[in-house]
């Protein structure tokens, strides 16, 4: 499995197929392996690249630096190193939030963007949402 060092982390990723590049971003607490079925199908027509995001899978897990903007900067640096001048970006959940940030900051880098099951922001303004949010964070840490 290849890795690339960007910003302050080493990112693990898969890279299969050939043709126009498609970058797949997984959800919170997940990893690149969640895309295995899609990679197999898409790699027949595209170069499919799926990184493990900061703090996920086999990518470095720094104690700080977790924000949607930081994730998007990691993807920009990742694309610069490969190099991917323009690519299709597909993001699920957290990956969709990162894709929205990336698209608004670097629209010239994208051929297309697909957002799956994501929201533009998370506003935690009541007790049930706080409980769910902290429960998910605890689950991820465990």
């Amino acid at each position: 499995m290849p890795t690339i060092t960007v910003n302050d982390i080493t990112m693990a990723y898969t890279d299969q197929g050939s043709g126009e590049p498609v970058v797949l971003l997984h959800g919170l607490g997940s990893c690149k392996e969640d895309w295995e079925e899609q990679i197999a199908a898409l790699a027949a027509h595209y170069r499919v690249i799926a990184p493990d995001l900061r703090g996920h899978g086999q990518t470095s897990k720094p104690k700080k630096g977790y924000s949607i903007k930081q994730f998007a900067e990691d993807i920009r640096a990742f694309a610069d190193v490969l190099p991917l001048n323009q690519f299709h970006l597909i993001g699920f959940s957290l990956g969709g939030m990162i894709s929205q940030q990336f698209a608004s900051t670097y629209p010239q880098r994208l051929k297309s963007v697909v957002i799956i099951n994501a929201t533009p922001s998370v506003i935690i303004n009541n007790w049930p949402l706080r409980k769910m949010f902290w429960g998910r964070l605890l689950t991820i840490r465990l």
Side-chain angles (χ1 to χ4, degrees):
M1 169 203 39
T3 61
I4 291 177
T5 300
V6 298
N7 299 331
D8 60 339
I9 60 171
T10 300
M11 293 182 77
Y13 67 101
T14 60
D15 189 342
Q16 296 181 29
S18 62
E20 288 188 356
V22 175
V23 175
L24 305 173
L25 303 181
H26 61 76
L28 180 65
S30 186
C31 63
K32 64 188 174 307
E33 282 77 20
D34 278 3
W35 293 108
E36 286 178 350
E37 297 290 326
Q38 292 79 12
I39 291 169
L42 291 169
H45 307 283
Y46 298 94
R47 177 182 178 197
V48 184
I49 303 151
D52 278 339
L53 297 171
R54 168 183 294 259
H56 292 77
Q58 297 175 340
T59 290
S60 303
K61 297 165 180 56
K63 300 256 185 235
K64 60 180 182 172
Y66 293 81
S67 70
I68 300 301
K69 286 185 180 181
Q70 181 60 61
F71 284 121
E73 284 305 311
D74 291 343
I75 297 305
R76 186 219 27 94
F78 177 79
D80 287 349
V81 171
L82 279 180
L84 304 173
N85 295 322
Q86 282 195 316
F87 54 95
H88 302 280
L89 183 60
I90 301 173
F92 172 76
S93 191
L94 172 63
M97 295 175 78
I98 297 164
S99 297
Q100 290 175 75
Q101 178 68 49
F102 191 93
S104 68
T105 307
Y106 304 106
Q108 72 282 2
R109 299 292 299 268
L110 297 177
K111 292 183 175 225
S112 68
V113 62
V114 177
I115 310 296
I116 306 165
N117 196 33
T119 180
S121 65
V122 177
I123 299 171
I124 303 171
N125 59 0
N126 61 52
W127 174 244
L129 284 175
R130 283 187 185 98
K131 183 179 173 185
M132 180 186 72
F133 178 77
W134 289 110
R136 285 185 182 180
L137 287 179
L138 178 61
T139 300
I140 290 166
R141 289 199 61 73
L142 295 175

